[in-house]
Amino acid sequence: MPEYLDMPPSISLWLQSIPPVGAVHTSKQLPFAHFGVLFGDSPLLPSNVAAAYQAALSELTTKFGSECSYNMIMTRSAIMLFPRRQSSWNDIAINSLGFAGLVLAKTKDEQELLNRFGILHILSCVGYPRTQ
């Protein structure tokens, strides 16, 4: 797997806040709402991944309600959930890969728009503002 896919920009910025292992954590490094759990050095057992996902989902639904749409990304290091208020920005679809830093531009104009505004701005528009 390419290294950049294991450390998307959102997780990389989140890690700068030194999250505790195994607990739901939000970071001031990201301008949009998010809930992440750092796995640590333990083997990634399905039960540990499920527990981390449930903990992050519980925080998300407590703050945004059980009907809130969200995107999720997971790497070997962490799992993160991102509540979202819309699924696109300027008619460009933003899904979980967008929160991993990968957005499909179908035209040159879309690519220029993405380059001009940058991924963090776009994700801030799609997601909810960070509350902490």
Side-chain angles (χ1 to χ4, degrees):
M1 172 185 332
E3 194 172 305
Y4 66 88
L5 289 179
D6 192 44
M7 200 52 61
S10 52
I11 288 185
S12 181
L13 287 169
W14 177 75
L15 285 171
Q16 289 178 15
S17 66
I18 312 171
V21 173
V24 179
H25 179 72
T26 59
S27 169
K28 293 181 180 176
Q29 299 287 342
L30 293 172
F32 42 85
H34 59 281
F35 305 90
V37 178
L38 183 65
F39 294 133
D41 295 331
S42 302
L44 282 181
L45 301 173
S47 59
N48 295 347
V49 173
Y53 169 73
Q54 287 297 327
L57 183 61
S58 177
E59 291 284 329
L60 184 149
T61 57
T62 297
K63 290 193 167 80
F64 294 96
S66 61
E67 299 297 316
C68 181
S69 296
Y70 64 92
N71 290 111
M72 179 188 89
I73 58 175
M74 186 176 100
T75 69
R76 294 178 202 135
S77 306
I79 187 169
M80 293 188 74
L81 277 59
F82 306 91
R84 65 165 201 230
R85 53 186 165 177
Q86 59 195 52
S87 61
S88 64
W89 176 81
N90 282 348
D91 296 324
I92 300 171
I94 307 294
N95 55 27
S96 289
L97 287 176
F99 286 90
L102 303 169
V103 177
L104 175 65
K106 296 178 184 176
T107 66
K108 186 174 181 155
D109 288 342
E110 286 182 353
Q111 181 63 50
E112 289 172 2
L113 198 59
L114 292 169
N115 289 340
R116 185 169 7 136
F117 285 94
I119 192 67
L120 288 180
H121 171 80
I122 294 164
L123 296 177
S124 294
C125 293
V126 171
Y128 288 94
R130 181 176 40 80
T131 57
Q132 297 180 22

